Amino acid sequence: MNQANKICNILVAGHAGCGKTTLVESLLYTTGALERMGRVEDGNTVCDFDPEEAKRHASLSAAVAPVQYEDIKLNLIDVPGLFDFEVGMYEGLPAVESVLICVSGRSGVSVGAEKAYKMAEKQGKSRMIFISKMDLENANFYKILEDLKTRFGPSICPCVVPVRLDDGTVAYVNLFSQKAFKYEGGKQIQIELPNMGHRLEGLVEAMSEAVAETDDALMEKFFEGEPFTTEEIVEGMRLGVKNGIITPVFCGSPVNLQALDMLLLNMVRLLPSAERAGGRTGVNADGEEVEFKCDEAEPTAVYVYKTVADPFVGKLSYVRVLSGKLTASSTLVNARTGETERLGKLLTVRGKKQTDADMIPAGDMGAITKLPAAQTGDTLCDPARVAALPAPAFPVPTLSMAVKVAKKGDEGKIGAALARLIEEDPTVRYRVDSETGQQLLSGLGEQHLDVVVAKLKAKFGVEITLETPRVAYRESIRKKCKAQGRHKKQTGGHGQFGDVWIEFEPCDSEELVFEEKVFGGSVPKNYFPAVEKGLHQASAHGVLAGYPVVGLKATLLDGSYHPVDSSEMAFIMAAKLAYKAALPQAGPILLEPVGTLKAHVPGDNTGDIMGDVTKRRGRVLGMHPDEDGLQVVEAEVPMAEMQDFTTFMRQLTQGRGWFTLEFTRYEPLPSMLEGKVIEEAKKLGNGPADDE
């Protein structure tokens, strides 16, 4: 029998604080994998093993925890709920067949659950919902159930429901068998079915209707009013879950180990195994589709879903075996680079615990040490059949901060350390701004960048602080102006002499445009390049705030020279003097960078976004729907006003919205803002052009 039929890969997703990590911990404990159960608050859970996670009491990256139930292996990937770290969900989804969405019984269906559901649906993953914290006083199962139906439609199907008994404890009714259970110290005790009035009939009827939808024979039986057997219900459910037309809902309390046995049993029964979910489709170098069947007899193909940069162990690549079997002697070609990868050790992983493995079969997960070239999203294949799964699309980093190195001498280390962290987290970007010379670090939000700073220090010993980046302004002129530049120096021996008349005027070019209209050889041709060079050097600094000058045309009209004392250097200096004399008279202005904003937001938020754009001196261009049911507000906004937009957007849309902002062009800065920019430039020592 194919081992892949005994393996289920499940992503555990949901909003921050809904109890995902606690659920995984309690499932490990329930199945005997742990002797004692850790707590997120104590920082000792299996999945939150990074020191930063322990400190913040929250998951910051995807962690894998295999759970053995009967003879089935459930590979659970616990992903962060905080939106700053949602890369974990994007990494983990391509590696699994199913998504278990955790919803808090206290706070209900939040944005994290919505996002997880929509992403799972989009990628064709089977879905199951678990409502946790059911034993809390203010948990309201039926209100949450209604909310789930409103948001996700008729596929929502309750399977286990809670009932509060007279003594205040919670019992759980299994709608498959219509039996009720209570829990003492995690042990299941069957009790008499409590009186639920018409509610029980309604729930069973709804479940039967959902099951009938999956099969013609069952539909017939349903219409004839015949009750289904438990086996028929389970089989219909299995089909419906695999096809995405049923989303079963379970509930319980991970902290007090209530109803987890029913959840585990149904994860195994209802969610598709790696084999049952079917193969994956990749594309080869010729653009042809290639199927990776989840079978050990097939050629090997492995998908890298996550990379960890460890300064001690080196690089660790987390993999899902798509087909064939992975052994240390496997020869694998990276479909992206075409190069053969040299494999390190094979490991099976549970949290931070790593165990050596001889072989990882199709459908299973593990890790490979020291794969030098492989990146997250790569497909590694048997040379006989090289094809790649589609590369995952990650969220675009929108918050950029300038890096300031705390210790002298660390400047050289920072690039290499950040390169390692970027391998680990594809939503971190690092670049040097050619305009301002600042090193910029970009991420998904303030918390995200905080963690990058903490990891740089803890893992690589590099200390940095972050500050608001400078805006790359430009300068230009509004009118024509002519000026003379005369450079004359008499020293012992040869002197220096260069004399030019240059006319400056505005034009549309980014670069300096240089022309000459010299008559009668007043400036010899061989000095024209020197004049142009002098102007290029001078226009690197404007006369207002020292920013580069654009939209400038300079025409050399006249001048004079000395047969002995004139030189290239003298004409370079003369050109600079003409520039310095003319520009203050030519109506100098500051230009600011303007970007095109595309803000994807729920319909209710479009008015607020438009109002905010106007406050930021922006212009709204229009609005249209996107494919995910959000509205796209397009606008042009000065880049200088957008530093805190990431935080504003997150708060306004509660994390549902996202945006892109791309530089478009330069526009004149309103004159009332010029003074402030000039003042700041002086503080930075970036003042107007000076004598050289």
Side-chain angles (χ1 to χ4, degrees):
M1 186 186 171
N2 190 350
Q3 256 179 286
N5 208 23
K6 301 273 187 191
I7 298 167
C8 285
N9 299 300
I10 304 160
L11 190 85
V12 183
H15 204 78
C18 68
K20 300 177 291 296
T21 303
T22 305
L23 174 61
V24 173
E25 189 78 6
S26 63
L27 293 177
L28 285 165
Y29 178 72
T30 301
T31 53
L34 299 177
E35 284 179 16
R36 56 187 294 260
M37 200 166 130
R39 281 161 42 111
V40 171
E41 297 78 15
D42 299 339
N44 59 357
T45 60
V46 167
C47 290
D48 288 359
F49 55 86
D50 187 275
E52 276 300 304
E53 294 179 314
K55 189 173 100 187
R56 292 166 188 265
H57 305 315
S59 304
L60 304 177
S61 66
V64 66
V67 168
Q68 194 73 32
Y69 182 75
E70 294 172 349
D71 60 343
I72 305 288
K73 182 183 185 187
L74 303 167
N75 286 317
L76 303 180
I77 300 183
D78 176 27
V79 298
L82 294 165
F83 297 133
D84 275 18
F85 305 96
E86 66 183 352
V87 65
M89 188 156 73
Y90 286 78
E91 288 173 334
L93 259 179
V96 300
E97 296 82 46
S98 310
V99 179
L100 176 63
I101 297 160
C102 197
V103 173
S104 159
R106 179 182 269 167
S107 44
V109 188
S110 35
V111 181
E114 254 178 57
K115 277 187 152 178
Y117 189 94
K118 282 182 180 160
M119 276 182 71
E121 192 174 32
K122 208 171 180 180
Q123 295 196 23
K125 307 295 178 187
S126 297
R127 303 172 290 286
M128 182 182 264
I129 292 172
F130 180 75
I131 303 175
S132 67
K133 309 183 185 183
M134 261 302 111
D135 52 346
L136 296 179
E137 275 291 320
N138 53 359
N140 188 338
F141 178 84
Y142 292 100
K143 182 175 176 295
I144 293 171
L145 188 62
E146 283 315 306
D147 203 5
L148 286 169
K149 285 179 179 168
T150 306
R151 297 197 200 194
F152 306 138
S155 79
I156 297 295
C157 182
C159 299
V160 170
V161 299
V163 181
R164 203 166 278 280
L165 303 176
D166 296 341
D167 63 358
T169 60
V170 177
Y172 297 89
V173 177
N174 181 335
L175 297 178
F176 293 116
S177 60
Q178 296 182 36
K179 290 177 180 168
F181 305 93
K182 68 175 188 176
Y183 291 82
E184 285 175 12
K187 295 277 179 286
Q188 185 192 76
I189 300 161
Q190 189 174 345
I191 58 168
E192 204 176 306
L193 194 64
N195 180 13
M196 294 169 69
H198 294 306
R199 184 169 257 171
L200 183 63
E201 285 166 39
L203 289 164
V204 172
E205 178 78 7
M207 182 197 243
S208 303
E209 199 173 327
V211 166
E213 297 275 348
T214 63
D215 180 86
D216 291 345
L218 292 177
M219 182 59 94
E220 214 167 292
K221 197 171 175 182
F222 177 71
F223 275 130
E224 283 166 9
E226 271 187 71
F228 294 146
T229 64
T230 305
E231 287 71 30
E232 283 173 331
I233 290 176
V234 170
E235 195 44 47
M237 278 276 186
R238 263 165 68 91
L239 254 175
V241 170
K242 181 176 182 286
N243 300 335
I245 57 174
I246 294 181
T247 306
V249 180
F250 293 85
C251 64
S253 166
V255 170
N256 293 316
L257 306 175
Q258 295 176 2
L260 298 181
D261 48 356
M262 292 194 265
L263 174 69
L264 270 167
L265 175 68
N266 286 294
M267 281 162 80
V268 166
R269 269 174 163 186
L270 305 182
L271 294 177
S273 67
E275 181 189 44
R276 218 175 127 248
R280 298 292 182 84
T281 307
V283 174
N284 67 16
D286 298 328
E288 298 160 347
E289 290 197 345
V290 173
E291 194 191 350
F292 299 117
K293 277 192 191 138
C294 193
D295 188 336
E296 280 177 49
E298 290 274 309
T300 304
V302 172
Y303 176 75
V304 180
Y305 70 88
K306 177 179 160 67
T307 308
V308 173
D310 191 301
F312 306 111
V313 186
K315 197 161 132 183
L316 191 62
S317 301
Y318 285 75
V319 296
R320 155 76 197 264
V321 182
L322 303 170
S323 64
K325 50 180 186 244
L326 180 65
T327 63
S329 60
S330 300
T331 302
L332 298 178
V333 172
N334 187 325
R336 176 178 55 84
T337 63
E339 302 294 314
T340 302
E341 292 275 356
R342 292 191 46 202
L343 304 190
K345 280 200 307 193
L346 298 191
L347 305 167
T348 53
V349 182
R350 174 181 288 141
K352 68 177 172 188
K353 190 175 171 222
Q354 300 169 355
T355 314
D356 288 1
D358 299 326
M359 188 270 290
I360 302 169
D364 207 352
M365 293 185 167
I368 308 171
T369 62
K370 300 185 174 71
L371 278 182
Q375 299 173 359
T376 300
D378 281 355
T379 312
L380 315 179
C381 308
D382 185 301
R385 186 190 63 181
V386 179
L389 284 193
F394 293 113
V396 182
T398 51
L399 180 66
S400 296
M401 296 293 279
V403 170
K404 209 171 174 191
V405 179
K407 286 206 298 260
K408 275 244 178 294
D410 269 3
E411 291 86 358
K413 282 192 212 164
I414 185 172
L418 274 168
R420 300 286 298 279
L421 284 184
I422 289 166
E423 271 191 296
E424 193 171 284
D425 183 347
T427 58
V428 177
R429 304 267 165 88
Y430 169 69
R431 67 184 177 89
V432 176
D433 187 324
S434 56
E435 301 286 335
T436 62
Q438 286 185 310
Q439 297 168 306
L440 298 183
L441 183 63
S442 308
L444 299 182
E446 288 169 24
Q447 261 182 309
H448 189 199
L449 293 183
D450 274 355
V451 168
V452 173
V453 170
K455 280 188 175 178
L456 276 175
K457 186 178 176 185
K459 283 188 167 189
F460 304 100
V462 177
E463 276 190 67
I464 62 168
T465 54
L466 300 177
E467 56 188 27
T468 304
R470 296 206 290 276
V471 177
Y473 292 98
R474 291 265 200 273
E475 296 186 26
S476 193
I477 58 170
R478 275 182 300 220
K479 53 189 192 212
K480 250 186 201 189
C481 187
K482 194 161 72 169
Q484 181 183 23
R486 187 179 169 89
H487 177 68
K488 186 176 179 185
K489 257 192 182 162
Q490 205 56 53
T491 48
H494 277 312
Q496 286 183 33
F497 182 82
D499 174 29
V500 290
W501 276 93
I502 299 174
E503 183 176 70
F504 296 91
E505 60 189 303
C507 75
D508 275 347
S509 167
E510 180 80 8
E511 293 290 309
L512 172 89
V513 176
F514 176 70
E515 279 184 10
E516 48 75 28
K517 291 182 181 169
V518 178
F519 295 103
S522 55
V523 177
K525 268 196 171 62
N526 55 329
Y527 292 132
F528 293 171
V531 174
E532 187 175 357
K533 188 177 177 184
L535 292 172
H536 270 293
Q537 288 178 3
S539 65
H541 299 283
V543 294
L544 290 174
Y547 287 104
V549 177
V550 295
L552 185 65
K553 180 179 175 184
T555 309
L556 175 62
L557 300 174
D558 201 359
S560 59
Y561 74 106
H562 187 283
V564 178
D565 290 352
S566 282
S567 65
E568 280 196 8
M569 199 59 213
F571 273 98
I572 287 174
M573 295 309 287
K576 288 183 177 180
L577 289 169
Y579 171 90
K580 275 196 77 174
L583 252 69
Q585 316 304 317
I589 51 166
L590 279 171
L591 303 176
E592 65 175 341
V594 170
T596 299
L597 168 73
K598 290 183 181 171
H600 298 247
V601 295
D604 302 351
N605 298 129
T606 52
D608 295 319
I609 286 283
M610 289 176 184
D612 185 69
V613 161
T614 310
K615 267 190 215 148
R616 294 172 193 267
R617 301 190 286 114
R619 290 187 295 275
V620 175
L621 303 176
M623 198 168 86
H624 60 88
D626 77 359
E627 57 191 32
D628 293 333
L630 298 174
Q631 291 290 327
V632 185
V633 177
E634 284 196 42
E636 287 184 346
V637 201
M639 304 288 259
E641 304 287 343
M642 295 299 279
Q643 185 58 28
D644 63 348
F645 191 73
T646 300
T647 313
F648 167 78
M649 181 81 150
R650 178 94 31 100
Q651 286 166 346
L652 175 70
T653 67
Q654 296 176 308
R656 286 185 184 89
W658 58 281
F659 72 95
T660 58
L661 177 66
E662 285 178 8
F663 167 73
T664 308
R665 62 176 174 280
Y666 278 92
E667 284 187 4
L669 180 74
S671 52
M672 72 267 196
L673 298 175
E674 279 190 349
K676 191 177 168 209
V677 172
I678 292 169
E679 200 51 48
E680 279 171 6
K682 278 183 188 155
K683 277 186 207 154
L684 292 166
N686 190 29
D690 46 2
D691 287 317
E692 296 192 26

